[in-house]
Amino acid sequence: MVDFSLSYEEKQVRDTIRSFIEKEVMPFENEVLRNERSGRVGLDPQQLRELQDKAKSAGYWGINTPEEYGGIALGPVMSAIVAMEVGRTFVPFDFGGTADNILYAGTPEQKQRYLIPTIQGERRSCFAITEPGAGSDARNIKTRAIKDGSDWIINGEKTFITGGAEADFVMVFAVTDPERGADGGVTCFLVDRDMGWKSEPIATMGEWGPAALIFDNVRVPEENILGELGYGFSLAMEWIGAGRYMIPAGAIGSAERLLAMAIEHAKTRVSMGNPIAEYQAIQWQIADSHVEIESAKWLTLHAAWQLENDIDNRHSSSIAKLSGAVMANNVVDRVLQIHGGMGYTKELPIERWYRELRLLRIFEGTDEIQKRTIARNLIKGHAKLGMLGG
């Protein structure tokens, strides 16, 4: 039989992370809600830094960062479990000490300038491939980089870039050889903000604060190419593919917290003489939510387990991402319904989660793209039915 239990050490990590989130992070929830009502987002930078310093003192810095760079390298499975615990709160918090995985492809000099300062929290990066006309169809990017002596001149626009308004450097993907297209014609450049690119915040229905990035004759030196000239698209897919299973991981934590709120409310809210928890209509919503959460949880952990064991997890990650995104939206909708009018108000965080979780069905590959990927893998034989494990 397969043993699905966590080891003693893994349980200790999970319980310590849960305790940290409950004792140190959740107390800021009311402040975050008040900030939102006054037009501010999340915590003040100083508050966030103080929380991260507490986490660092407790030994949780660089959850997925190799030990040689000062991290603790818990691995994909424990990273997913940590993300589930962090997802239990809507306070925008992460443990810090991490950097985008493709920065490890940099030269020694690039690592000193970009990777290590990012891990140490001294620099902030963003990843820019999406464009106004190239979202899920990343192969259709139009941003151009033209060689000019020992430099490259970049022109174009990127959109919906997470962290784009705050980053001081960007990993931007531009066409360097139009004849070759995505396979051999796209290059990744490391571009400091002071090289000339500009950002414009994009207002959204949730608290996700993306930005548009504008490149107008931005001059970048040759040594700022990340990886190989022309092979940036494979780096982009590595960035997208490696982290996709983490998206449903966070959603699982949010859904579990929301369902717990619904159960507690159902036991105390009296209607027509009885707690609404006694009514079948409420019980079915609770049961359906729990089944969907557990299903998404094990699909997500399976994708993480494959990655940890050097098994191609792209198909499993697409399944987990699709399942988790749909699940989270189903659960938060039911929880709002169970709370009735109060669930629709800003007095409770449910409507905030409702807005935030809606994004999961769009970013990092829409539901439709995940379905297309899953079906294509099956039709072309890249994935097979009835296979356990790898």
Side-chain angles (χ1 to χ4, degrees):
M1 291 293 293
V2 178
D3 184 0
F4 291 106
S5 61
L6 299 177
S7 68
Y8 173 79
E9 291 77 12
E10 290 169 333
K11 290 178 182 177
Q12 287 291 100
V13 171
R14 179 201 61 193
D15 293 346
T16 302
I17 294 293
R18 181 173 296 183
S19 177
F20 183 90
I21 294 298
E22 291 177 347
K23 294 179 180 179
E24 302 291 348
V25 183
M26 286 184 181
F28 285 99
E29 289 182 344
N30 286 335
E31 182 173 345
V32 168
L33 291 177
R34 286 195 297 270
N35 286 346
E36 181 179 335
R37 293 183 198 117
S38 63
R40 304 200 312 260
V41 176
L43 297 175
D44 293 332
Q46 182 60 33
Q47 290 175 313
L48 178 59
R49 187 64 195 219
E50 288 173 1
L51 277 177
Q52 289 182 326
D53 286 344
K54 287 183 180 180
K56 189 173 185 178
S57 298
Y60 292 104
W61 186 256
I63 298 293
N64 237 343
T65 301
E67 294 179 7
E68 63 183 293
Y69 295 103
I72 55 177
L74 291 181
V77 171
M78 283 309 302
S79 293
I81 291 172
V82 169
M84 292 177 194
E85 297 303 324
V86 175
R88 293 178 185 277
T89 180
F90 54 82
V91 176
F93 169 80
D94 63 68
F95 282 95
T98 60
D100 290 278
N101 62 317
I102 61 174
L103 282 177
Y104 293 96
T107 64
E109 194 273 339
Q110 288 173 344
K111 289 179 181 179
Q112 289 297 321
R113 289 178 56 199
Y114 298 100
L115 173 67
I116 294 175
T118 301
I119 290 172
Q120 294 174 343
E122 298 168 358
R123 301 201 68 177
R124 298 188 67 173
S125 67
C126 64
F127 174 94
I129 191 169
T130 301
E131 299 184 359
S136 295
D137 183 14
R139 290 177 177 270
N140 197 35
I141 64 175
K142 303 298 184 186
T143 298
R144 291 289 306 275
I146 298 175
K147 190 73 179 294
D148 181 34
S150 61
D151 296 336
W152 290 82
I153 309 298
I154 301 178
N155 282 283
E157 180 181 352
K158 301 294 182 178
T159 192
F160 294 119
I161 307 304
T162 300
E166 300 81 21
D168 64 274
F169 77 94
V170 58
M171 294 162 283
V172 63
F173 295 81
V175 175
T176 48
D177 187 346
E179 298 299 320
R180 299 190 65 180
D183 300 318
V186 174
T187 301
C188 180
F189 295 88
L190 295 167
V191 189
D192 296 280
R193 185 180 284 270
D194 59 17
M195 292 178 180
W197 59 271
K198 295 178 172 58
S199 61
E200 298 174 358
I202 299 173
T204 67
M205 65 183 278
E207 293 309 301
W208 176 53
L213 308 187
I214 310 299
F215 296 82
D216 184 9
N217 290 321
V218 174
R219 182 175 292 272
V220 183
E222 178 92 19
E223 59 264 26
N224 276 42
I225 290 176
L226 181 63
E228 296 183 54
L229 175 66
Y231 291 92
F233 194 76
S234 60
L235 275 180
M237 294 303 100
E238 181 180 333
W239 185 92
I240 294 170
R244 185 164 278 160
Y245 75 95
M246 293 291 285
I247 297 169
I252 289 162
S254 301
E256 287 185 335
R257 174 91 183 278
L258 282 160
L259 182 57
M261 291 172 60
I263 292 170
E264 184 62 28
H265 179 75
K267 291 192 296 185
T268 58
R269 173 73 165 91
V270 175
S271 177
M272 293 178 285
N274 296 294
I276 62 174
E278 296 182 9
Y279 298 125
Q280 189 179 69
I282 302 300
Q283 293 172 356
W284 282 14
Q285 291 186 73
I286 291 171
D288 286 343
S289 295
H290 185 55
V291 169
E292 292 171 16
I293 291 170
E294 289 299 300
S295 298
K297 180 185 295 182
W298 292 107
L299 288 170
T300 299
L301 290 174
H302 179 243
W305 173 84
Q306 285 186 319
L307 183 62
E308 192 157 301
N309 287 275
D310 297 320
I311 300 170
D312 186 347
N313 77 333
R314 288 174 295 179
H315 186 73
S316 294
S317 287
S318 286
I319 293 173
K321 202 274 184 181
L322 175 64
S323 173
V326 173
M327 173 279 294
N329 279 268
N330 286 345
V331 171
V332 72
D333 187 71
R334 295 186 191 113
V335 171
L336 193 153
Q337 189 72 18
I338 289 171
H339 279 79
M342 281 301 297
Y344 192 67
T345 71
K346 289 185 179 292
E347 293 301 310
L348 296 178
I350 299 170
E351 63 84 29
R352 186 184 196 278
W353 254 314
Y354 195 102
R355 290 182 283 113
E356 287 197 354
L357 292 173
R358 185 61 182 85
L359 175 64
L360 301 185
R361 296 183 57 200
I362 299 171
F363 90 135
E364 301 299 344
T366 64
D367 288 359
E368 293 76 17
I369 287 296
Q370 303 308 326
K371 290 178 181 180
R372 172 182 175 271
T373 299
I374 293 165
R376 184 181 59 189
N377 287 342
L378 290 169
I379 292 168
K380 293 188 174 182
H382 301 317
K384 300 184 184 299
L385 296 172
M387 300 296 289
L388 289 175

